Amino acid sequence: MNYLAHLHLAHISHTSLPGALLGEYARGAIDPTLPTELQTGIRLHRKIDSFTDRHPQHLGAVRALPSPFRRFGSIIMDMMFDHFLSRYWRQYHAWPLQDFIDYSHSKLQPNRHWPDPLVTLVARIKQYRLLQQYATLPGITLALERMDSRFRRPTPLPRCGPLLIEQYSTMEQAFLAFYPELISFVLEQTASAR
């Protein structure tokens, strides 16, 4: 899952929004000197990613992508699932999406526990209104184009716009079947951790 989903899942499970994003950058053993809420956020982030990557709906949507896009299928699907979460937001959260985004921005305040890449990411999320952009297909396409710069070699990500249109319905159905199961999984995981 991508940023919007991780923030949404942290909010509904009453865990840390910064911890949900910190999980993107924490590698290996979790630093025991981190505040407990950040450690919990990292663990939950990892569980969410693992659940997502193994889920038949996610796997099926990735496998349906043609070469050379399939190799980057997890990235494409994570972004598209954030897109569909934006589109179907009212099914999954009581607040309007913009209110939730404003709330998330207020909770994402850098501190000494944040690595520099997370500080940069959050600044970009706020400056470029990335979470709002996920609601539109052109916004997702642009985000995927920007991801190409993170790789050493060129990727097909800047050319995936037509593919997203072609596969839109298949991806949408995968999300609608998958996301309620992910929510249940997250709530079970956080209930058992309390």
Side-chain angles (χ1 to χ4, degrees):
M1 302 307 294
N2 204 51
Y3 310 133
L4 181 61
H6 277 293
L7 292 169
H8 173 247
L9 294 165
H11 188 249
I12 65 171
S13 63
H14 307 289
T15 55
S16 167
L17 273 69
L21 295 188
L22 183 56
E24 194 73 29
Y25 300 99
R27 300 287 176 252
I30 297 172
D31 181 352
T33 65
L34 287 174
T36 304
E37 67 272 10
L38 293 180
Q39 293 183 48
T40 300
I42 293 168
R43 280 191 204 91
L44 184 59
H45 182 110
R46 291 176 177 177
K47 288 178 180 180
I48 289 166
D49 284 355
S50 179
F51 181 88
T52 300
D53 290 343
R54 290 189 330 262
H55 196 280
Q57 293 294 337
H58 187 269
L59 284 170
V62 168
R63 288 181 184 139
L65 297 174
S67 180
F69 298 100
R70 191 177 308 118
R71 182 169 176 234
F72 301 91
S74 288
I75 294 170
I76 293 168
M77 292 314 304
D78 286 353
M79 294 298 295
M80 286 303 290
F81 280 9
D82 261 19
H83 169 69
F84 293 121
L85 177 56
S86 294
R87 281 203 52 221
Y88 290 98
W89 181 260
R90 292 302 241 163
Q91 292 183 25
Y92 303 111
H93 204 287
W95 299 358
L97 178 57
Q98 188 57 56
D99 289 356
F100 177 76
I101 290 171
D102 292 343
Y103 170 82
S104 296
H105 287 185
S106 74
K107 292 295 181 184
L108 295 171
Q109 300 299 327
N111 65 43
R112 64 187 177 88
H113 302 291
W114 286 28
D116 290 341
L118 180 58
V119 173
T120 301
L121 169 67
V122 168
R124 289 182 67 240
I125 285 174
K126 293 177 181 181
Q127 180 181 358
Y128 297 110
R129 303 172 51 83
L130 296 183
L131 301 178
Q132 290 92 330
Q133 288 185 24
Y134 293 162
T136 70
L137 204 49
I140 290 292
T141 303
L142 179 60
L144 286 166
E145 287 174 10
R146 288 180 179 147
M147 282 190 182
D148 181 65
S149 65
R150 297 183 190 175
F151 295 88
R152 289 188 191 138
R153 295 182 179 162
T155 73
L157 293 174
R159 302 188 314 273
C160 71
L163 172 75
L164 301 183
I165 294 168
E166 177 186 310
Q167 299 273 339
Y168 195 87
S169 179
T170 301
M171 294 175 177
E172 182 177 37
Q173 293 311 308
F175 170 81
L176 292 171
F178 161 78
Y179 202 67
E181 292 184 26
L182 178 59
I183 289 173
S184 296
F185 170 78
V186 166
L187 295 178
E188 287 168 15
Q189 293 297 307
T190 52
S192 65
R194 287 192 170 87

